[in-house]
Amino acid sequence: FLRESRFLQTEPIYTLGVATMLAAFVRFVGRPGLARGVALGIVIGLTSLARPTGFVVAALLFAGWPVLDRTALREWRKLIPVAVACLVVLTPWEVRNALVFHAFIPFSTGGGEVFALGTSTRTDGRWDGTLWRQERDSLLAAEAARVGHLLSVPEVDRTLYRVGRER
């Protein structure tokens, strides 16, 4: 385990976060309260830092809550501690991103690269490091030439999202 831990990616952290989110959500729904709401908000925030799709999981859970409990819609105020705790976790990262990139980046960059890779006809949407690096570098060089400067990290991300949508 220790020898392979150097290869630790976001998948195990995200999976642990989703499992913890599910457990915290079940406890919160069973008996909503301040402490359980704060715990759930912290878990949602941390999971979303590992992978932004953590918010999708949380949204689906909260959308399903009224199915489990018909009184849930009347108890929306009990979600305030969840939201506040989540914001407390996410705010330092948002501030850091704003200071470093001089742009609003909600969670992370890199989504554009994954999206463009998935739509690449050259790689058939599969990871091929050599082919993808050639294609990516060519796309980004063309965009840098078009705008007349080296691309910032947010510009790279937006460019690759655009390329993926245009395919």
Side-chain angles (χ1 to χ4, degrees):
F1 172 75
L2 293 176
R3 182 176 68 91
E4 301 303 323
S5 66
R6 65 192 166 122
F7 298 114
L8 189 60
Q9 302 276 319
T10 61
E11 289 87 356
I13 296 166
Y14 177 73
T15 303
L16 176 63
V18 169
T20 306
M21 186 189 313
L22 289 170
F25 178 78
V26 168
R27 289 181 55 91
F28 177 77
V29 167
R31 200 174 65 190
L34 178 64
R36 289 178 183 201
V38 168
L40 179 57
I42 290 170
V43 171
I44 291 169
L46 291 174
T47 302
S48 297
L49 284 175
R51 289 248 174 125
T53 51
F55 266 128
V56 175
V57 173
L60 291 172
L61 289 173
F62 284 112
W65 185 17
V67 174
L68 298 173
D69 179 4
R70 300 222 185 267
T71 65
L73 293 176
R74 292 188 304 239
E75 299 181 17
W76 65 270
R77 285 181 196 88
K78 293 182 179 178
L79 296 176
I80 293 172
V82 177
V84 169
C86 188
L87 284 173
V88 165
V89 170
L90 294 175
T91 299
W93 192 251
E94 303 306 321
V95 169
R96 177 248 179 224
N97 284 347
L99 293 173
V100 170
F101 298 117
H102 307 289
F104 176 70
I105 300 172
F107 302 102
S108 63
T109 57
E113 183 159 3
V114 173
F115 186 64
L117 171 64
T119 61
S120 172
T121 55
R122 191 164 179 209
T123 64
D124 286 330
R126 291 186 290 256
W127 174 251
D128 181 325
T130 304
L131 287 177
W132 173 244
R133 278 189 283 281
Q134 291 170 354
E135 182 176 0
R136 181 198 60 208
D137 292 349
S138 171
L139 292 166
L140 296 177
E143 180 67 8
R146 185 185 74 76
V147 298
H149 61 82
L150 291 175
L151 301 178
S152 67
V153 173
E155 288 173 318
V156 166
D157 206 41
R158 284 193 294 271
T159 299
L160 292 173
Y161 268 121
R162 189 193 76 239
V163 166
R165 284 191 308 271
E166 290 173 352
R167 290 184 183 181

